[in-house]
Structures are given as structure tokens and as C-alpha cells.
Amino acid sequence: VRPILRDRTECYECVTKPAQEKTYPGCTIRNTPSEHIHCTVWSLAECADVFCQSVTALSRRKSALTENSILHWDKDDEDAMRFVASSANIRATIFGIPPMAGNIIPAIATTNAIVAGLVVVEALKIISGDLDKLRAVFINQAPNPRGKILVDQVPFAPNPNCFVCSAKRECHIKMNPEQMTVKALQDKVLKGALNMAAPDVMEATTSRIIISSEEGETADLEAKTLSELSIANGAMLMCDDFQQKLELKVILHESKTLKGDEYEILQDSGEAKENVDESRKRKSMASPEVHDGETAAKRILLFNVPVVWEV
């Protein structure tokens, strides 16, 4: 759980994120079955037999472990899956719910409860005005040498080189104005790279609106290149994303070597983005968990204070 407050902590874009691998959530397995077991429904008697067998198998494995060792959950562990599936079906029967598929991947309710509790703790600090007590909290997969599962750290201050959370919200982008279209600028650069949701863009010199968040208002400009709109090297675009309360200046740098919708995001010095700010590349004390290849960022407005909870 990482509280993010504008002008006080680094933003979501500054946080180093692990490489994401495309996977499919197990909760959709009944909609897209790929194996016979995905379509199998056990009877109550079968659930009871499987439950007893799995408990026996897991108990035997636990007894073989060294002292203070524990069994770890793994969705690819057949004994663990049979235990969870049979337990879920037995419990469902108790409450009058029809049995579910035999091979299920359950939600980890305990982790969800811990994260929800941590979010509330940090939210209470914001409500009470104790912003100096805010902490980023991580859940370890196993206790650390000090025996702790939860590890916290003071949130990092805004990154002075970030165009989102720095006081100087300005971004330099290299592109080929003769080939970059307005549509590509909107979708690939502003929405794709700069993570804007619904940008409004005005050319600073002429005050002409070239991109509007109002549907259809600038549709006739989407196929035009920037050079056709007299936007060239050194042009300044004033970008405003009302949904995220983000105002950003984008300065264009011309490059004949870039083709089509290719672009590079630069810093003020002209260095490529990936080559700067090495000092801020660090590993957290405990990396946040990634489930199904995704991390979730939950954005809320708390007492008119923009807050992002990274979970």
C-alpha cells in the first residue's frame, strides 16, 4: 500500500514496476474451459472424500517439514487445490449454494483484508492531518530476519525530474512533425506514454485547440500531421487533463530520423528519459505483490485531497 499525494510524495509514474506477464485470472476458468476437469462438478459425497484425502496428504507433508517450517500455498499444488475446492463446495452446500466447478482458483481473501486494513490506516492519517506519519507498507511473502511480515518506509518526496509530480510540469518530446499525426500524438504519446485520460491540447503561440476531450470537436484534425498545422521544432503545447487535474507543457523537438508515430521522451537537458535519474532507481524493502500479472492502482478523492493507493 503506497499513499500518493500531489506535491508531497512521488507519483505513481515514478514508482519502479516489475515486468508484467500476460496471464488470465482463474476466476474465469468456467467461461473459458481448456481441460476436462474445468467442466466437472463434484457431488457432496465426492467433496467429502476429496476433503479427507487432501487433509491427510497435507498433514503428512507438514509432518515431514522441519520445526517452524510451514506449507506454502501454490495454485499448481494438487493437494492444496483439492483441499480448497472441496472445502468451498462443502461450505457452499451448507449455505444452500449449488456446487461449483471441481478445479477452482480461489481469491486470497486474507491478503485482501490485510491490504484493505492498511489502506484504512493510512487514510485515517490523512483525515486527521498526520501527513508526516504516512508510510508505504509492503507485505513480505515470508518473515524477514526481524520476523516481520509487514515492512514500512517513508514515502519518497516528489521527483524533481518527473513531469507529473515536480513543481515544473514540463516534458520535452522528440518526434518528426512531418509524419506524426494528431491522432498518434493523442493516443500514443499523451494517453499511452504520459498516461493522460482525456487531454485537451492547445498550441501556445496561436491558442489553437488541436485536441479536445469533447468527442468529435477536433475529429477533422486527427488525420493531419503536426507540420500541416504549422507545429514544428520548438513548438509548445499546453496540455490539460481535467479528469486528473494535470496541466503539462509539452515542448516538441524535431528529428528527421524518427519515422511515423515514433517518438522519444527527453528531459530538459535533452537526455533520453531512460538515461536520467539513475539515483532514484532502487529496490523497495519489499516488492508489492503482483497477482495475475497486474498491479492495481485505486484512485480516490479524500476530503478534496487527490490520493492514489497503489495496491
Side-chain angles (χ1 to χ4, degrees):
V1 174
R2 190 193 306 268
I4 298 177
L5 281 75
R6 175 172 291 183
D7 300 324
R8 189 174 185 91
T9 69
E10 63 180 358
C11 67
Y12 179 73
E13 304 306 325
C14 291
V15 179
T16 303
K17 304 172 185 64
Q20 297 185 3
E21 180 181 351
K22 182 64 176 178
T23 59
Y24 298 93
C27 57
T28 64
I29 203 167
R30 297 186 69 180
N31 299 329
T32 56
S34 58
E35 298 180 18
H36 168 73
I37 189 63
H38 297 164
C39 303
T40 301
V41 178
W42 297 342
S43 67
L44 182 59
E46 289 174 315
C47 288
D49 289 340
V50 172
F51 176 80
C52 294
Q53 294 169 11
S54 60
V55 169
T56 300
L58 292 171
S59 298
R60 188 182 302 114
R61 289 165 54 182
K62 177 63 173 67
S63 300
L65 296 177
T66 58
E67 187 177 359
N68 296 327
S69 297
I70 60 175
L71 291 175
H72 292 279
W73 163 259
D74 186 351
K75 64 181 179 63
D76 296 321
D77 185 328
E78 183 175 357
D79 291 331
M81 285 303 307
R82 287 164 65 85
F83 170 77
V84 172
S86 58
S87 300
N89 283 338
I90 292 173
R91 185 170 177 79
T93 302
I94 293 174
F95 289 94
I97 302 173
M100 296 173 285
N103 191 14
I104 63 171
I105 299 178
I108 309 302
T110 304
T111 304
N112 292 340
I114 293 174
V115 171
L118 293 174
V119 169
V120 171
V121 169
E122 299 305 313
L124 289 174
K125 296 176 184 177
I126 296 175
I127 294 173
S128 60
D130 295 328
L131 301 184
D132 292 335
K133 296 181 180 179
L134 286 174
R135 294 293 183 270
V137 186
F138 304 98
I139 304 176
N140 285 330
Q141 292 183 339
N144 64 11
R146 299 175 61 185
K148 290 187 175 182
I149 292 290
L150 301 180
V151 181
D152 64 355
Q153 67 181 40
V154 177
F156 285 91
N159 181 356
N161 293 322
C162 176
F163 55 81
V164 175
C165 59
S166 66
K168 182 182 179 182
R169 295 190 171 97
E170 186 175 282
C171 181
H172 294 250
I173 300 181
K174 183 187 294 185
M175 63 180 65
N176 189 340
E178 295 181 356
Q179 298 187 26
M180 174 70 73
T181 64
V182 173
K183 178 68 172 176
L185 174 67
Q186 172 184 272
D187 294 344
K188 295 203 64 175
V189 180
L190 300 181
K191 291 184 177 180
L194 303 184
N195 295 294
M196 288 188 161
D200 291 289
V201 181
M202 179 181 70
E203 204 281 314
T205 304
T206 62
S207 298
R208 180 182 183 183
I209 303 296
I210 64 171
I211 296 176
S212 174
S213 58
E214 296 293 334
E215 186 175 357
E217 187 172 330
T218 54
D220 58 321
L221 302 179
E222 291 183 349
K224 295 182 179 295
T225 63
L226 298 184
S227 60
E228 290 178 313
L229 300 178
S230 301
I231 298 175
N233 185 49
M236 179 182 294
L237 303 179
M238 310 301 293
C239 306
D240 184 6
D241 189 346
F242 179 77
Q243 291 187 13
Q244 302 187 71
K245 297 183 179 180
L246 173 63
E247 295 181 359
L248 178 66
K249 294 180 182 178
V250 174
I251 293 88
L252 303 185
H253 298 263
E254 184 175 4
S255 173
K256 297 292 187 181
T257 60
L258 296 176
K259 306 297 182 183
D261 55 8
E262 296 178 343
Y263 64 91
E264 292 180 15
I265 297 180
L266 311 173
Q267 296 294 337
D268 292 343
S269 62
E271 297 179 276
K273 184 178 181 181
E274 56 268 23
N275 294 330
V276 301
D277 201 22
E278 291 293 331
S279 62
R280 293 183 64 86
K281 290 184 178 179
R282 78 284 183 206
K283 292 184 178 179
S284 299
M285 297 175 66
S287 300
E289 290 287 332
V290 179
H291 297 288
D292 291 329
E294 297 181 356
T295 54
K298 299 184 178 179
R299 302 172 183 268
I300 62 174
L301 190 65
L302 191 60
F303 286 82
N304 293 322
V305 179
V307 180
V308 176
W309 299 109
E310 184 195 352
V311 179

